[in-house]
C-alpha cells in the first residue's frame, strides 16, 4: 500500500465560524479526509499577528471552532487536529526560513499590501505581520505536506511557500521538502447578508451556531433585487443574493424559484422564509452534534492533546533533518 499524500490546512481562531467557512473550507476538508493524511490546525500564532492587542478570546474560539469542525464532519479518528502554538517546531523552522527570505518577496505579497490598505481597526505595520507567510510556509513544510486546500485569497502565500521550499533545498543541497500544491476550493464565494464578503468584522455573517430563529431573522434582512419593489414586479434572480444562497444550499429547487421570481409568482418574504427553512434543515443535524460536544469540552481538549503529540512527533523529525542538512 502506498502512503497517502499529506494535507495541511489551518484556520485562525478569531471568532465564531459562519456559513462562509462551511462552504469555503469545512465541506472541502471533510471531502479530503478519506483520501489524504490530513493535519488540520488551529492557527493561533497567525491569529495573534492580528489580534495582539486583545488575544484573550483566542483559546475559547479555538475550542469553539474545533467543535464546529467535528460537528460538520471532521473525524478526529481519521484526521489529526492540533494547535499551532503547541508544536514549537513551527517557530524554529519559521526563524530558519526568515534568515533567507528576501524582504522584497514579503513586501510585494498582494495579501500583505491589501491588508495594510484595508484594515483600519488595528496597526498591522509590524515586523511579525510582514512575516505572516513565512510562518505559513513553516506550517506546511514542517509536515512535508504535498497538498494545501485553500481559497483563492491564500494562493500568494502558497506561491511563497514554494519559493521558500526551493530556496531551502537549493541552499543546503538536500531535497528535504516536497513542493506543495494548492487544492483550490471550488465552491462559489458566499456573500454576507449585505452583499459584501461574509465576515465577522462586517457583521453580516450567518454563524454555524445561530439558532433557527436567528437564521430566520438574518435571512429576512437580506438584500434582494433592488428593482423589485412591488410584489407584482417581475424579479431578476441573477442579481439577487438570496438566489445565490439557493444555488449553494438548495440547488434542487433553484430553477423553480428562478421561474417564480421572474414571473412574480413568489414574493421576497416567502422566498426568504423558504430559504431559512432550507438552511435550518441543513444545519439541524449539525446542531445536535454541536450540542453534545459543547457539553464535553474536556473531550475536545483530549482530542487536541492527542493531535498535538502526533504533530510534534512528525514536526520534530523534520526539524532534525533540517538541522542536519544545515550542519547545525
Ligand atoms: N493564513 C490562513 C488563513 O488566514 C490560515 C493558515 C495558517 C493556513 N497557516 C496555514 C492555511 C497553513 C493553510 C496552510 O486562512
Ligand atoms: Fe430574490 Fe427571491 Fe425576491 Fe426573487 S423572490 S428577488 S430570488 S428574494
Amino acid at each position: 500500500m502506498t502512503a497517502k499524500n499529506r494535507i495541511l490546512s489551518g484556520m485562525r481562531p478569531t471568532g465564531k465560524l459562519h456559513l462562509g467557512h462551511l462552504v469555503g473550507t469545512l465541506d472541502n476538508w471533510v471531502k479530503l479526509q478519506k483520501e489524504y493524511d490530513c493535519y488540520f490546525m488551529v492557527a493561533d500564532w497567525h491569529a495573534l499577528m492580528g489580534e495582539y492587542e486583545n488575544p484573550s478570546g483566542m483559546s475559547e474560539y479555538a475550542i469553539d471552532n474545533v467543535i464546529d469542525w467535528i460537528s460538520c464532519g471532521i473525524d478526529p479518528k481519521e484526521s489529526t487536529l492540533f494547535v499551532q502554538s503547541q508544536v514549537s517546531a513551527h517557530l524554529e523552522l519559521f526563524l530558519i526560513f526568515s534568515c533567507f527570505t528576501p524582504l522584497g518577496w514579503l513586501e510585494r505579497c498582494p495579501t500583505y499590501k491589501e491588508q495594510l490598505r484595508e484594515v483600519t481597526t488595528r496597526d498591522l505595520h509590524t515586523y511579525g505581520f510582514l512575516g505572516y507567510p513565512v510562518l505559513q510556509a513553516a506550517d506546511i513544510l514542517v509536515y512535508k505536506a504535498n497538498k494545501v486546500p485553500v481559497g483563492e485569497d491564500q494562493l500568494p502565500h502558497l506561491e511563497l511557500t514554494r519559493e521558500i521550499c526551493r530556496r531551502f533545498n537549493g541552499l543546503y543541497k538536500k531535497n528535504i521538502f516536497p513542493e506543495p500544491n494548492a487544492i483550490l476550493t471550488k465552491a462559489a464565494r458566499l456573500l454576507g447578508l449585505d452583499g459584501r464578503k461574509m465576515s465577522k468584522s462586517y457583521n453580516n455573517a450567518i454563524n454555524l451556531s445561530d439558532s433557527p430563529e436567528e437564521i430566520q431573522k438574518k435571512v429576512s434582512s437580506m438584500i434582494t433585487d433592488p428593482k423589485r419593489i412591488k410584489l407584482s414586479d417581475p424579479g431578476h434572480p441573477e442579481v439577487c443574493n438570496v438566489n445565490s444562497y439557493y444555488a449553494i444550499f438548495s440547488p434542487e429547487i433553484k430553477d423553480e424559484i428562478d421561474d417564480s421570481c421572474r414571473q412574480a409568482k413568489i414574493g421576497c418574504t416567502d422566498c426568504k422564509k423558504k430559504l431559512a427553512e432550507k438552511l435550518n434543515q441543513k444545519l439541524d443535524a449539525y446542531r445536535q452534534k454541536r450540542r453534545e460536544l459543547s457539553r464535553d469540552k474536556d473531550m475536545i481538549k483530549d482530542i487536541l492533546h492527542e493531535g498535538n503529540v502526533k504533530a510534534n512527533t512528525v514536526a520534530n523529525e523534520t526539524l532534525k533533518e533540517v538541522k542536519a542538512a544545515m550542519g547545525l
Side-chain angles (χ1 to χ4, degrees):
M1 198 180 95
T2 49
K4 287 180 177 173
N5 276 322
R6 185 169 291 156
I7 274 185
L8 179 287
S9 198
M11 254 191 232
R12 286 169 300 133
T14 55
K16 293 188 169 193
L17 299 190
H18 52 60
L19 286 180
H21 294 111
L22 179 67
V23 300
T25 309
L26 277 176
D27 277 348
N28 214 22
W29 284 9
V30 171
K31 270 190 227 130
L32 295 166
Q33 67 178 345
K34 281 245 177 301
E35 193 185 334
Y36 294 92
D37 176 23
C38 291
Y39 283 69
F40 297 127
M41 167 182 87
V42 176
D44 51 352
W45 287 139
H46 275 108
L48 185 64
M49 289 174 173
E51 309 285 324
Y52 59 88
E53 282 182 12
N54 194 7
S56 60
M58 279 179 359
S59 56
E60 207 170 304
Y61 284 134
I63 299 289
D64 189 75
N65 289 180
V66 171
I67 289 177
D68 280 338
W69 296 0
I70 300 174
S71 306
C72 291
I74 299 293
D75 180 355
K77 290 201 193 71
E78 195 109 46
S79 303
T80 305
L81 315 187
F82 72 100
V83 181
Q84 187 183 33
S85 65
Q86 302 307 305
V87 186
S88 55
H90 290 236
L91 294 188
E92 290 191 53
L93 197 57
F94 170 51
L95 184 112
I96 291 169
F97 289 169
S98 300
C99 297
F100 62 73
T101 302
L103 275 179
W105 289 4
L106 302 173
E107 286 162 347
R108 270 198 300 275
C109 187
T111 50
Y112 176 68
K113 291 195 289 188
E114 185 192 306
Q115 298 267 55
L116 288 194
R117 242 188 357 256
E118 306 275 321
V119 176
T120 52
T121 51
R122 54 223 149 137
D123 186 6
L124 294 179
H125 291 79
T126 61
Y127 163 65
F129 192 66
L130 180 68
Y132 186 109
V134 185
L135 180 58
Q136 191 161 344
D139 297 338
I140 296 165
L141 297 177
V142 87
Y143 299 99
K144 300 188 183 182
N146 321 82
K147 302 273 181 192
V148 186
V150 284
E152 206 160 346
D153 60 314
Q154 294 287 311
L155 282 181
H157 293 173
L158 203 69
E159 207 36 63
L160 260 164
T161 301
R162 291 157 59 85
E163 285 186 70
I164 288 172
C165 168
R166 286 196 287 270
R167 183 161 259 214
F168 181 95
N169 290 342
L171 274 174
Y172 306 111
K173 317 258 176 307
K174 265 247 155 74
N175 276 333
I176 290 187
F177 301 118
E179 251 182 69
N181 291 302
I183 299 180
L184 204 58
T185 308
K186 278 187 229 75
R189 196 147 68 157
L190 191 73
L191 298 176
L193 302 172
D194 56 2
R196 292 187 291 171
K197 180 184 167 194
M198 187 177 281
S199 158
K200 170 190 78 149
S201 39
Y202 293 154
N203 204 10
N204 64 357
I206 296 180
N207 294 327
L208 298 179
S209 53
D210 282 347
S211 68
E213 296 74 30
E214 280 167 317
I215 290 194
Q216 173 77 51
K217 206 163 134 214
K218 284 185 177 177
V219 170
S220 72
S221 77
M222 281 173 78
I223 291 172
T224 61
D225 171 10
K227 293 215 184 82
R228 193 158 187 221
I229 297 160
K230 294 195 298 296
L231 191 59
S232 54
D233 295 336
H236 306 82
E238 65 284 355
V239 301
C240 176
N241 195 21
V242 173
N243 187 262
S244 60
Y245 274 59
Y246 272 107
I248 295 174
F249 295 105
S250 208
E252 74 288 353
I253 56 166
K254 183 184 173 296
D255 287 348
E256 185 191 320
I257 296 279
D258 278 6
D259 288 344
S260 311
C261 171
R262 283 202 184 90
Q263 296 164 27
K265 281 194 193 143
I266 186 172
C268 294
T269 309
D270 285 343
C271 184
K272 288 173 173 177
K273 221 180 249 164
K274 203 168 183 144
L275 174 65
E277 269 164 34
K278 290 282 177 193
L279 282 178
N280 278 325
Q281 258 168 30
K282 175 155 173 115
L283 292 180
D284 256 349
Y286 153 80
R287 281 193 186 108
Q288 171 94 13
K289 187 94 206 239
R290 187 186 159 84
R291 228 175 287 128
E292 282 163 30
L293 293 171
S294 301
R295 269 189 236 120
D296 197 355
K297 296 216 167 114
D298 283 344
M299 188 182 77
I300 304 292
K301 286 181 187 156
D302 287 347
I303 288 171
L304 288 174
H305 178 73
E306 213 174 289
N308 292 340
V309 170
K310 193 165 158 211
N312 269 298
T313 306
V314 177
N316 286 333
E317 194 55 44
T318 308
L319 199 62
K320 224 159 71 194
E321 281 179 63
V322 165
K323 287 183 175 170
M326 298 172 75
L328 295 175

